[in-house]
Amino acid sequence: MAEQLVELNVTGMHCNNCAMSIHKLLEKKGFQNVLVSFASEEVKFSTADSAVLPQVIKDIENLGFKVVDDAHPIATPFYDKVENKLIFCALFTAPLLLHMLFPWHLLHNPLLQLTLCLPVFLVGCQHFGKSAFSSVKNGVPNMDVLIFIGSSSAFIYSLVGTFQHLGESYLFYETCATIITLVLLGNVLEKRSVNQTTSAVKDLMKFQQVNANRVINGGIEIISASAVETGNILLVNEGDQVPVDGEVLSGDALVNEATITGESIPVNKSKYSTVIGGTIVHQGNLKIMATKVGSNSLLSQIIDLMKKAQAAKPPVQKLGDKVASIFVPIVILIALLTFVITYFATDAGAQRAMMNAIAVLVISCPCAMGLATPTAVMVGLGRAAKNGILIKGGDTIEAVANTKYVLFDKTGTLTTGKFSINDIKAANGSDIELIRGAITAIEERSNHPIAKSLVTGLQGQPQQKVILMSATEEKGLGMRAEDIEGNNYFLGTAKQKTDDNFNLSLYRNQILIAQISVDDTIKPDAAKLIATLKKMGITPILLSGDKKSRCASVAKILGIEDVHAEMLPEDKLKVVDIYREKGKTIMIGDGINDAPALTQADVGVSMNDASHIAIQSASVILLNTDLQSVVKFLQISRHTLLTIKQNLFWAFAYNIIAIPVAAMGFLNPMVGALAMAFSDVIVIGNSLRLKIKKVH
């Protein structure tokens, strides 16, 4: 049975810790491609058996969360907002802390301290206790277990001291309240910070929430973009956002496509041009026919790709996940050992032993380890997207870190893809007008850049009209066609040896009737790209289906030494495998003829036709034609991986240093709670630097 992706909307997640609980639960049940985002309240996983869904929902709700049907549920109740819980607890915690600063008798009264602490403790029980109990019951103990045990220990210890009149040395109500308040503060800061890391997806989603002007019965009807159907005629005025993907029926306009492609210069659109939903009409007006709506639109596919990308974990995260999964039981064991050793091996007494154990519990922070990778990946993917680079997953980012070879297709990648006909040589006295007519008729049926250039180049020239019954494309070879008189045509690269100056051949009934010389120009920044790759220690390779002479000419101009010419799609696969055995390999192509090679390489990068086969075959899609996007992609990937490693280092180092310090009694539990809360923010802050830092 085929795997299917399940998407759930889950409310009640307050921090990454909550998301980790659900993540562990689903992984424990054996589900694949698990993605849990507390910021967007989304849970996704793959399963081959949809019958398990009701039980999965029940298990998630047993953890203390709520699965809702609506993707945009009603607002969180006032009392359940973590920000409001923080304010409530802070109002009661502040007077408790004042007794440490002022010798006012009233503030030192045990019953008053109990009265101030009790509401905070009850909020802590509701917020952390329920989650802690559910996570233990389901066999996936989370961070809330440590917070609940730590705060409860301080509260119960103080309660015993109060009712047995043991004196001030047994009163730690402020410790209990401060732990809960500071961890709530950490939750608030964490949620706000993570919201910033997911801003790229949210910014794109805003472009879907617009209205459209639908032309109906001679009038204009304003509807939501989500209500547009394929075939609807829409009017897009100057300053409007194009609501869906479509084809221009009439009008002339400059359209800013920066939101999708990262290209800042507006593109001219006229009849037969395609427009992309989410782009802005800068100047002019267009009447378009909707061709792709809803989940089929390019914008929706980009958003879906970015969401799925967050689920693809880099291998570097596996270490963090393993440690986090066994972290809570280990910390509880260390806390117990701390209490026992401090109480029995020293003269510190029960009070000091209890405080040291509580400090160990609250200083520990698996949240930082859990946040280290996904926050960096989210920011890295977002920055790449804003530069017109779609990266399909965090695993791709790590795969390019040690790249040794970059294999380039030639046409449309290193060259512009805009061709011109240099010459047509008629063979055996064939009629040149028939040749032109046949070329036009055949290439009108193809979307290949060469085909479009041939049709454009022959416009206005005398030609005999050829009417075709059928035409089929043979990838990597050319086009086959049959006209209404039963004549068979083949237009494409020829297996038999022909003049090297001519790279296309036209056959009629298996007889060569013409050779065509077609050439395109090298992109102006291609040489700079090749030079940059060499400086980065990466070997550029030219891998093309074009003739050896043309490939050699382009390679010489650009400074590429390794050339593989006249390659069919299956030949390209073999070449990719050869280089993969030598080191990490990136393949850059147009996503159509190169689709198998793009899939086979360690990382496939599509330079062209981002709305079609590229989205399925490539790991990375460059939405603009600027070759510097390749360098930008490598730079962002390397800096994202560097940020992940920095985050994991700080998360591990923090715990390795903090836990022994707390166990030896050098750390007050309240200071520990504050440090724990801000360790998450430090990791997230380091990730957010990726938004603005210079990558080189």
Side-chain angles (χ1 to χ4, degrees):
M1 191 181 291
E3 293 261 318
Q4 63 177 17
L5 184 67
V6 176
E7 299 185 24
L8 301 174
N9 301 298
V10 179
T11 61
M13 292 188 285
H14 300 296
C15 66
N16 188 64
N17 181 41
C18 300
M20 285 174 69
S21 298
I22 298 175
H23 200 288
K24 288 179 188 175
L25 172 72
L26 296 174
E27 284 194 334
K28 192 176 177 183
K29 289 181 172 292
F31 296 119
Q32 301 297 316
N33 303 317
V34 178
L35 164 65
V36 184
S37 170
F38 83 86
S40 59
E41 298 190 322
E42 288 181 320
V43 173
K44 296 183 182 181
F45 59 91
S46 297
T47 178
D49 183 10
S50 58
V52 301
L53 191 55
Q55 184 59 45
V56 171
I57 291 173
K58 187 178 178 182
D59 291 338
I60 291 173
E61 293 191 332
N62 283 340
L63 282 174
F65 309 108
K66 180 72 175 172
V67 179
V68 295
D69 294 328
D70 189 2
H72 302 285
I74 56 172
T76 307
F78 179 85
Y79 59 84
D80 208 30
K81 285 186 176 178
V82 68
E83 292 88 352
N84 294 334
K85 290 180 182 178
L86 170 63
I87 294 168
F88 177 82
C89 291
L91 291 173
F92 287 93
T93 303
L96 277 171
L97 290 173
L98 286 176
H99 96 276
M100 301 174 68
L101 303 174
F102 302 103
W104 299 337
H105 178 72
L106 183 65
L107 292 175
H108 290 259
N109 185 298
L111 291 176
L112 177 64
Q113 289 187 22
L114 171 59
T115 303
L116 290 169
C117 180
L118 187 58
V120 180
F121 180 64
L122 292 175
V123 169
C125 287
Q126 184 269 334
H127 188 82
F128 302 111
K130 187 179 178 183
S131 168
F133 177 74
S134 299
S135 69
V136 171
K137 188 174 72 172
N138 284 276
V140 282
N142 62 21
M143 178 66 189
D144 289 343
V145 174
L146 304 181
I147 303 303
F148 182 69
I149 292 175
S151 58
S152 297
S153 300
F155 183 80
I156 294 167
Y157 190 80
S158 303
L159 201 63
V160 171
T162 299
F163 289 104
Q164 291 191 2
H165 307 289
L166 299 175
E168 284 194 6
S169 59
Y170 278 81
L171 299 181
F172 292 98
Y173 289 118
E174 77 283 347
T175 300
C176 169
T178 305
I179 288 171
I180 292 168
T181 302
L182 287 175
V183 176
L184 286 172
L185 173 64
N187 287 178
V188 170
L189 294 173
E190 184 181 327
K191 187 153 191 172
R192 289 184 178 179
S193 299
V194 172
N195 275 329
Q196 291 183 50
T197 69
T198 58
S199 62
V201 172
K202 290 179 179 177
D203 288 347
L204 287 174
M205 290 177 75
K206 287 176 185 175
F207 289 110
Q208 295 180 310
Q209 299 160 8
V210 295
N211 291 328
N213 301 317
R214 181 164 64 182
V215 179
I216 187 165
N217 299 326
I220 300 293
E221 178 188 17
I222 298 175
I223 60 172
S224 167
S226 59
V228 175
E229 297 177 353
T230 303
N232 283 174
I233 307 302
L234 308 173
L235 187 64
V236 190
N237 297 316
E238 189 171 313
D240 286 355
Q241 180 183 301
V242 178
V244 295
D245 294 3
E247 184 176 309
V248 178
L249 299 178
S250 63
D252 216 316
L254 287 175
V255 178
N256 187 335
E257 298 184 336
T259 53
I260 305 297
T261 67
E263 177 59 61
S264 58
I265 301 172
V267 181
N268 187 64
K269 300 289 183 180
S270 54
K271 191 174 182 179
Y272 303 128
S273 298
T274 56
V275 289
I276 305 169
T279 56
I280 308 290
V281 176
H282 260 203
Q283 191 176 5
N285 301 283
L286 297 171
K287 183 182 280 188
I288 69 170
M289 180 176 70
T291 55
K292 292 182 181 178
V293 301
S295 60
N296 292 321
S297 71
L298 178 58
L299 183 60
S300 291
Q301 290 182 42
I302 290 171
I303 292 168
D304 190 50
L305 275 176
M306 291 188 67
K307 286 183 176 180
K308 286 178 180 175
Q310 295 169 13
K313 295 181 182 180
V316 74
Q317 188 176 348
K318 292 177 182 176
L319 175 62
D321 285 351
K322 283 181 181 177
V323 173
S325 65
I326 59 170
F327 193 82
V328 173
I330 288 174
V331 169
I332 292 172
L333 181 62
I334 293 171
L336 288 171
L337 287 173
T338 298
F339 179 84
V340 171
I341 292 171
T342 307
Y343 184 73
F344 290 105
T346 69
D347 297 326
Q351 173 195 333
R352 173 49 56 191
M354 176 66 72
M355 287 299 102
N356 290 2
I358 291 172
V360 169
L361 291 170
V362 298
I363 193 65
S364 309
C365 188
C367 274
M369 282 183 277
L371 288 167
T373 300
T375 53
V377 167
M378 285 181 205
V379 177
L381 294 175
R383 178 161 182 179
K386 287 184 177 179
N387 282 276
I389 304 163
L390 289 186
I391 302 173
K392 285 193 177 179
D395 49 351
T396 300
I397 285 172
E398 187 162 357
V400 303
N402 301 307
T403 299
K404 285 191 70 178
Y405 303 99
V406 175
L407 279 59
F408 290 94
D409 177 47
K410 180 177 76 71
T411 305
T413 303
L414 293 173
T415 59
T416 61
K418 294 178 182 177
F419 296 81
S420 59
I421 299 175
N422 293 338
D423 190 15
I424 296 178
K425 185 166 77 173
N428 305 320
S430 299
D431 184 353
I432 189 67
E433 292 189 14
L434 171 67
I435 291 168
R436 290 174 186 151
I439 293 171
T440 299
I442 293 168
E443 297 294 49
E444 279 178 339
R445 303 287 189 98
S446 173
N447 286 320
H448 196 282
I450 293 181
K452 291 178 180 178
S453 300
L454 287 173
V455 173
T456 303
L458 292 174
Q459 279 179 355
Q461 294 190 32
Q463 51 185 277
Q464 181 181 323
K465 192 169 183 65
V466 175
I467 302 172
L468 301 181
M469 286 180 60
S470 64
T472 56
E473 185 171 354
E474 293 187 7
K475 288 184 178 177
L477 291 174
M479 297 282 293
R480 292 193 183 276
E482 182 182 354
D483 66 17
I484 57 173
E485 296 175 358
N487 295 304
N488 293 307
Y489 295 87
F490 173 76
L491 175 59
T493 53
K495 280 289 183 184
Q496 73 181 65
K497 183 68 178 172
T498 57
D499 189 332
D500 274 346
N501 292 322
F502 293 86
N503 46 354
L504 290 177
S505 300
L506 175 64
Y507 291 83
R508 187 171 187 249
N509 298 324
Q510 287 78 50
I511 297 171
L512 179 68
I513 63 170
Q515 294 180 59
I516 304 108
S517 173
V518 177
D519 213 349
D520 65 345
T521 55
I522 295 171
K523 289 184 178 178
D525 49 356
K528 183 181 177 183
L529 168 63
I530 300 303
T532 304
L533 290 177
K534 288 181 175 180
K535 284 181 184 177
M536 295 170 77
I538 297 171
T539 304
I541 315 288
L542 183 60
L543 181 61
S544 175
D546 207 349
K547 292 194 173 183
K548 286 182 180 178
S549 58
R550 293 181 181 279
C551 291
S553 173
V554 170
K556 185 177 180 181
I557 293 169
L558 297 179
I560 299 175
E561 294 165 10
D562 297 335
V563 180
H564 300 268
E566 299 181 10
M567 294 278 115
L568 295 173
E570 56 267 30
D571 299 326
K572 289 185 178 183
L573 277 178
K574 294 172 186 175
V575 174
V576 168
D577 279 336
I578 290 169
Y579 283 104
R580 282 188 71 194
E581 288 178 8
K582 298 178 183 178
K584 285 283 177 66
T585 300
I586 293 176
M587 172 70 195
I588 303 179
D590 67 3
I592 301 172
N593 292 337
D594 299 306
L598 289 170
T599 306
Q600 187 80 351
D602 291 303
V603 176
V605 179
S606 172
M607 287 290 296
N608 196 6
D609 206 3
S611 59
H612 297 293
I613 293 176
I615 285 182
Q616 282 77 42
S617 58
S619 306
V620 179
I621 299 139
L622 306 181
L623 296 178
N624 62 44
T625 55
D626 180 5
L627 279 176
Q628 289 310 304
S629 293
V630 176
V631 176
K632 184 71 75 174
F633 157 60
L634 292 171
Q635 290 169 335
I636 290 173
S637 296
R638 288 185 175 187
H639 278 269
T640 302
L641 185 62
L642 175 64
T643 302
I644 290 171
K645 289 178 177 177
Q646 289 171 345
N647 286 352
L648 286 172
F649 169 78
W650 287 114
F652 282 121
Y654 170 85
N655 284 288
I656 289 168
I657 295 168
I659 290 175
V661 169
M664 289 185 286
F666 295 121
L667 207 60
N668 182 289
M670 290 183 289
V671 176
L674 184 65
M676 188 278 292
F678 279 96
S679 66
D680 296 352
V681 180
I682 289 168
V683 165
I684 295 168
N686 189 45
S687 296
L688 288 173
R689 282 196 315 123
L690 258 177
K691 278 189 174 185
I692 55 172
K693 74 182 287 192
K694 290 182 179 178
V695 292
H696 52 78

